[in-house]
Structures are given as structure tokens and as C-alpha cells.
Amino acid sequence: MAAPTPQDFAGWQGLLDAWIDDIGYPRNLLGDFRLEPKYEEPPNPLVEFGAFKGAPKWRRPGQAPTQAGRDALLTLTAVQGDTGFASVEQQRHLVATAPTAYDLKSLVRVNAEEMRHGLQMAHILMTHFGRTGAIEAQKLLERRATRGERLLKAFNDPVRHWLDFFCYTAFMDRDGKYQLTMLQRSGFHPLAASMGPMLKEEAFHLGTGFTGVKRIVQAGLVPIPVLQTYVNWWVTAAYDCFGTDSSTSAQWAYEWGLKGRFDEATNPQPAPRERLNEYNRSLYAAEVADLLCKINQARAPGQPALRAPSTRFHRRVGPDAGQPYSTTGARLSDTSYADHLRETLPTGEDEGLLAECFKEAWIAPRAA
Amino acid sequence: MRPARPDGNTVDWFFEGLVAAVLEELDSPAGAAYDRTLYAIGMEYGAVDARRALDYAVGPRHGATPTDKVLASLGQTPYPRLARRRLPGQGIRGTAAILHFFDASYPLHTEPAERALVELGFELPSPLQYVDYVHAIDRLKERCPASAVPESNWFLSRILQVGLEAWSRRQARREANPGRRVAGAAPAQSTVARNPF
């Protein structure tokens, strides 16, 4: 029987406890981590862009000027919360196979903070959006990544092993950084005020991913072309998380002052309102390319370099979804595209090879 | 050259230099030594781990390592309550090291970091109690903007401690060369905020 909709945040926390047990997260590993909401003043007290620029940020959804804007806020908050719980469901099984105690501690911290990020969004839903918000907060704990029910496709993909985890935290969590940064400029004060603490925590997740991928390259056991297929998978999954091209939802969210560009604070140019998702994705792609350059410095001489795939490759969202583009963005015939996918995305053979690698020193110690 | 801030908030200057200071330390031999220690410490924290922590932070002539029984008792106390406790046979530095590698929310204690806290306007008692040092760093954690936190797999307590040490070094260089600008140091004419919070 479905649990009744929580009446208040304490009631929702009871559902969170049940969720932790249901997904089987070992409570002893969470230690004294405090699952609690954290707010801090956003960088700007005023609406920073869009039609209401210069007005005080809205403290309650009712202050937002349009009902459509309030509905968009509810959706933005729910989607953000969904990703936090989804990622824990994706990664939870890795506690049993950590390569080192240090990595286990890192995983647990990442998972605990992602739970807190989901909780933060639930706190906003429960506090500001009435019964509708309570239902959405409840749904955050009812959907399951393991059943393919999470709102964004990539958050239903299996995180098969620790190599996936490091790619996930390096590339998917980097999309998370972009989303949080864009929401930090939101005209809705509770959302903007949530993002500072979340971004500080996210920095550790990104550092864990970057260091992890670099340690894999340093160890030199996993062939770079195989590692490249996993980079291709997770980077393109993150591309999808920016949403569809020419998104009217993104345009309206900008117009209503709810979600800005990634570089909103520093970019004096007018926003490309009809291409917001593409614009933010292009910044992300450039950052990933830069990150891979840093990782490539850890290669042994003669090894190939890791490269960021084209934003048109292996897309599952938007106008390029299913289109036959190569990792460099060239259009291929359907036949050669099928071959190209086998070469550039993880295969069963790659998984078999990794399983053998995992029996050996596949990842270098930190600061080796 | 950075613009002078006659009434500049010293804490803001500190945060502005934090990313660069931490990234420099991350890639340095000192950063590697810290990482090696962190990496070697087990999940089931025991005497061997505490000894590694003391070797790193205090050196080979550290005091007696706490017993497994004492160390096991640490796991039952939520942060930051252990900051009030002095571990048997250890001073602040050793206690802080054992606590930090057991739970990275506790900052390592170093004299330069302590000095920097005072320069930033924290009023720390003399002799210093570790709990006051922890509270000061906790207040920096709260005040720290997200943009000042570099992407690293170091905890915020470590990031701030490293930043404080770098700040202290830069201030010392500035004092040694009063006529020269030192990148990242507070400007000579800046007013140190006595109550930054």
C-alpha cells in the first residue's frame, strides 16, 4: 500500500528513512553525516535577468508573477531533487567493491551529500508548494533508477563499476555543477539560497571524479581506447542533461528569471534565449575538453589522448537524438554508424576486459 | 595589479586567493605527502592509522598513540564534540591530526593556520584550545562562497587550513618586503577586520 502523502517535512523525513532502508544503503557508513537543509544568502538579492530583472528575489512562489512561472519552479525543483536520489540508487551497490578504503569513504561522502541535495529540494517542495509540493516530494522517494523511473534518462543508466563511478562524478556531476550554478542565480530565493552549500559539496564530487580518472590513466592497465568508450558514454549522457535544443521551457525559465546561463554573473552579452541549452552545453563541452587535457598529462609516453566527443554524437535527447553522427561530429551512413557505435561505446567485450583489469592494480594510489 | 581596498574586508581577500592556493598545494610534494597519508588510512580506524596520522602531522617523535579502545570511542561522538577532547599523550597538533584523519571535518592544526586566523580577525584565546580553532574554521566554512572552493577531493576543513597557511606565508612575505606587492596578500593599507562575522 502506498504511504500517505506527508503533511510536513518531519513526515517526509520518515519516508526518507524508509527509502534508505529500501535501497539497502548501509546506515553505519553514513556515520554522523547530518541530513538537513542548508541555506545561505545568494550572491544577489535581486532578480538578475529576464522580464523582472531588478525586482527583489521572490521568497514565496506566490510572489512569482505568473502561474506558469510557479509551475516551472515546481518542476525545476522536483527535477533537481530527483537527480540526487537517483544517483545514490545508481551507485549504492559500489560500497561492496571499493578499490581502497579511501575510495569507499569518498563514495559514501558523495552519496550522503547527494541524499542531502535531494532532501534540500524536498524541503523547498514541502515548505513552499503546499499539497502539490508534498506529492512531488513524496515521488522523489518513490521513483527508482533501478526500474528506469527517474525523470532524466541518464539517471536510469546503470553505474556498473568503479570506472563508471569515476566517469560519472567527473562528467555527470559536472553537469550537476552547471545546473546548480544556473539555479544559484534564480529569482526564487529559496532555490538560489540552496545552491551555495550544494555547490561547495559538489566540488568534492568533481574532484573525486577527476582524480579517479587520472589515477586510472596513471596506472596504465585499462587501455586508453577502452577508457575512451566510457568517457564517450558518460559525457554524452551529460550533454543530454542540458535538455533539448531550442527549448521553449528554458527560454521561459530565463524570461521569468528562474534559471540563468552558467556564466550569467560574468557574461555581459545578451543571452541567446532561443539557444540557452545549446549555449550552456557548449560551455560544458569546452570545460570537459580542458579537463581531459589535464588528465592526458598522466599518460605514459606513446599512449593515445582522451578526447571529448562531439555534442552531436550519441544523443538521446533533442534533434540529434538517434542521428548518425560520429564522435567528431561527422555525419555517417547508417551502416557505418552502427560500426562506429560498437567502436566508440562500451561493449560486452570491454566489460569483460575491465573485469579482468579489476583483479589487478587497475587504479594508481593517490599521489603515487 | 589588484585595486587597493582601503576598507577591504580581509576575509574576502582570503577567499579570493583560496582556489589558487589550494591548487598549488594539491600539486606540490606537501600535497602529495598529505594524500599518501589520507590514502593509507583505513575505514576501520585503528592504532596503526593514528600512528600514520601522527607521523604525518607531528613527525616521528610524536607522543604515545592512543589505544584502540580510545580510538573506538571516537566513532560514537558526532562532529564537532570531539574538539573539546584532548587525546591522552597528545597536544593540540597530535589530537587534531588523529581527529582529522578519523573524520576530515576536523581541521589539522598548524601554527601558520592559527596565525592567519588571528590576522583575519578571529580572537583566539591564549593558550589556544583546539575547540576554538575548530569553531573559527567552521565559521569560515559557513562564510566561504562556493566560487572559492576548488574542485578537489579534499574536504573543506583541509582546503581552508591550506588556504590559511598560504595566507600566512604571503602576509609574512609582505611584511618582509613592505614596499612590494605580494600576489594574494591583503593590501598594506587594508584594515584587518577585528570581527569579520
Side-chain angles (χ1 to χ4, degrees), chain A residues 32 100 174 177 200 366, chain B residues 35 39 79 144 151 153:
Chain A
D32 66 350
T100 68
R174 192 164 302 280
K177 177 184 85 168
K200 280 187 249 182
R366 278 159 50 103
Chain B
D35 275 353
Y39 190 80
Y79 178 84
C144 181
E151 291 175 16
N153 50 358

Side-chain angles (χ1 to χ4, degrees), chain B residues 46-112:
Chain B
V48 65
D49 301 300
R51 199 172 305 121
R52 284 192 178 109
L54 291 170
D55 284 344
Y56 165 76
V58 184
R61 295 170 64 86
H62 58 71
T65 308
T67 61
D68 281 339
K69 190 177 171 189
V70 169
L71 293 169
S73 72
L74 304 182
Q76 295 153 16
T77 313
Y79 178 84
R81 283 192 217 153
L82 290 170
R84 295 193 176 279
R85 188 165 164 186
R86 179 70 65 90
L87 294 174
Q90 296 299 330
I92 287 185
R93 195 170 181 135
T95 298
I98 288 171
L99 293 180
H100 175 75
F101 287 106
F102 157 75
D103 175 349
S105 299
Y106 292 97
L108 287 171
H109 173 265
T110 66
E111 280 76 20

Side-chain angles (χ1 to χ4, degrees), chain B:
Chain B
M1 181 190 285
R2 302 172 78 169
R5 292 185 181 182
D7 298 310
N9 187 323
T10 315
V11 175
D12 288 341
W13 279 97
F14 167 72
F15 286 132
E16 283 178 23
L18 189 56
V19 169
V22 173
L23 293 181
E24 189 180 328
E25 179 90 356
L26 263 171
D27 290 332
S28 73
Y34 172 82
D35 275 353
R36 274 194 297 275
T37 306
L38 194 63
Y39 190 80
I41 298 242
M43 192 82 180
E44 300 294 325
Y45 198 64
V48 65
D49 301 300
R51 199 172 305 121
R52 284 192 178 109
L54 291 170
D55 284 344
Y56 165 76
V58 184
R61 295 170 64 86
H62 58 71
T65 308
T67 61
D68 281 339
K69 190 177 171 189
V70 169
L71 293 169
S73 72
L74 304 182
Q76 295 153 16
T77 313
Y79 178 84
R81 283 192 217 153
L82 290 170
R84 295 193 176 279
R85 188 165 164 186
R86 179 70 65 90
L87 294 174
Q90 296 299 330
I92 287 185
R93 195 170 181 135
T95 298
I98 288 171
L99 293 180
H100 175 75
F101 287 106
F102 157 75
D103 175 349
S105 299
Y106 292 97
L108 287 171
H109 173 265
T110 66
E111 280 76 20
E114 180 187 339
R115 203 160 46 241
L117 283 172
V118 173
E119 287 166 357
L120 292 177
F122 289 96
E123 290 172 8
L124 298 177
S126 180
L128 179 74
Q129 301 295 311
Y130 181 57
V131 66
D132 297 303
Y133 179 83
V134 169
H135 284 163
I137 289 186
D138 275 349
R139 294 183 78 184
L140 276 182
K141 285 181 191 171
E142 289 166 13
R143 170 97 179 243
C144 181
S147 57
V149 181
E151 291 175 16
S152 78
N153 50 358
W154 281 356
F155 278 65
L156 198 48
S157 63
R158 167 67 178 169
I159 287 169
L160 291 171
Q161 171 235 327
V162 163
L164 288 166
E165 289 175 8
W167 171 269
S168 189
R169 284 195 298 272
R170 286 195 300 264
Q171 295 304 105
R173 279 204 300 275
R174 198 201 74 192
E175 283 162 22
N177 301 282
R180 294 180 60 190
R181 283 286 293 128
V182 175
Q189 66 271 47
S190 104
T191 309
V192 172
R194 295 312 305 171
N195 292 297
F197 301 95

Side-chain angles (χ1 to χ4, degrees), chain A residues 45-360:
Chain A
L46 304 178
V47 178
E48 298 177 59
F49 49 86
F52 309 103
K53 183 176 177 177
K57 278 185 162 61
W58 307 299
R59 302 263 167 181
R60 300 186 304 279
Q63 293 173 326
T66 67
Q67 182 57 44
R70 287 169 222 149
D71 292 345
L73 264 181
L74 180 78
T75 303
L76 284 173
T77 309
V79 170
Q80 192 58 50
D82 197 70
T83 62
F85 294 119
S87 71
V88 180
E89 291 166 2
Q90 289 172 298
Q91 297 165 9
R92 173 255 168 276
H93 69 97
L94 298 176
V95 298
T97 54
T100 68
Y102 175 78
D103 291 308
L104 177 57
K105 282 187 269 192
S106 296
L107 170 73
V108 170
R109 176 174 167 188
V110 168
N111 290 167
E113 289 175 348
E114 290 294 348
M115 286 183 209
R116 202 199 70 71
H117 293 185
L119 171 146
Q120 182 79 30
M121 295 301 100
H123 189 253
I124 292 177
L125 291 168
M126 293 298 302
T127 309
H128 296 284
F129 287 93
R131 181 165 165 76
T132 309
I135 291 170
E136 288 302 323
Q138 184 176 17
K139 284 190 203 166
L140 296 180
L141 300 171
E142 289 179 346
R143 289 184 283 264
R144 289 288 181 278
T146 45
R147 294 197 296 258
E149 296 166 348
R150 289 297 174 182
L151 297 176
L152 301 179
K153 263 191 173 65
F155 286 87
N156 294 305
D157 292 337
V159 177
R160 292 153 286 205
H161 36 60
W162 275 80
L163 185 144
D164 265 345
F165 171 72
F166 288 125
C167 288
Y168 190 104
T169 39
F171 306 120
M172 287 283 283
D173 281 350
R174 192 164 302 280
D175 162 73
K177 177 184 85 168
Y178 273 65
Q179 303 300 330
L180 301 182
T181 304
M182 292 187 264
L183 292 174
Q184 192 178 29
R185 301 283 158 183
S186 178
F188 184 44
H189 189 277
L191 203 51
S194 295
M195 296 302 141
M198 290 168 74
L199 277 164
K200 280 187 249 182
E201 291 166 345
E202 203 71 25
F204 178 85
H205 308 184
L206 298 172
T208 298
F210 169 72
T211 316
V213 176
K214 195 172 165 186
R215 286 165 54 204
I216 294 168
V217 171
Q218 272 175 329
L221 189 64
V222 175
I224 296 280
V226 172
L227 180 56
Q228 177 73 61
T229 65
Y230 290 86
V231 170
N232 289 343
W233 176 271
W234 288 111
V235 172
T236 55
Y239 289 156
D240 283 341
C241 292
F242 283 86
T244 188
D245 295 9
S246 308
S247 163
T248 51
S249 306
Q251 196 175 340
W252 280 112
Y254 192 88
E255 183 68 13
W256 293 324
L258 305 179
K259 187 174 176 184
R261 288 169 289 178
F262 175 69
D263 59 355
E264 194 63 50
T266 55
N267 189 343
Q269 301 300 318
R273 295 185 186 215
E274 292 173 7
R275 300 178 49 257
L276 282 164
N277 288 346
E278 297 94 302
Y279 176 71
N280 291 318
R281 183 162 38 238
S282 71
L283 296 178
Y284 169 86
E287 189 171 306
V288 167
D290 184 48
L291 188 78
L292 290 171
C293 282
K294 290 179 187 152
I295 290 171
N296 283 331
Q297 291 169 8
R299 279 176 303 158
Q303 289 294 305
L306 290 168
R307 303 208 182 280
S310 161
T311 53
R312 308 193 85 167
F313 172 68
H314 187 237
R315 295 296 305 283
R316 293 182 285 175
V317 169
D320 290 331
Q323 294 297 307
Y325 288 104
S326 74
T327 52
T328 58
R331 194 169 177 92
L332 305 173
S333 70
D334 287 348
T335 317
S336 44
Y337 181 60
D339 291 339
H340 187 68
L341 286 184
R342 274 191 293 277
E343 289 165 9
T344 54
L345 293 177
T347 62
E349 202 177 318
D350 295 329
E351 286 288 287
L353 188 145
L354 282 186
E356 291 305 310
C357 288
F358 293 154
K359 295 173 186 167
E360 299 178 48

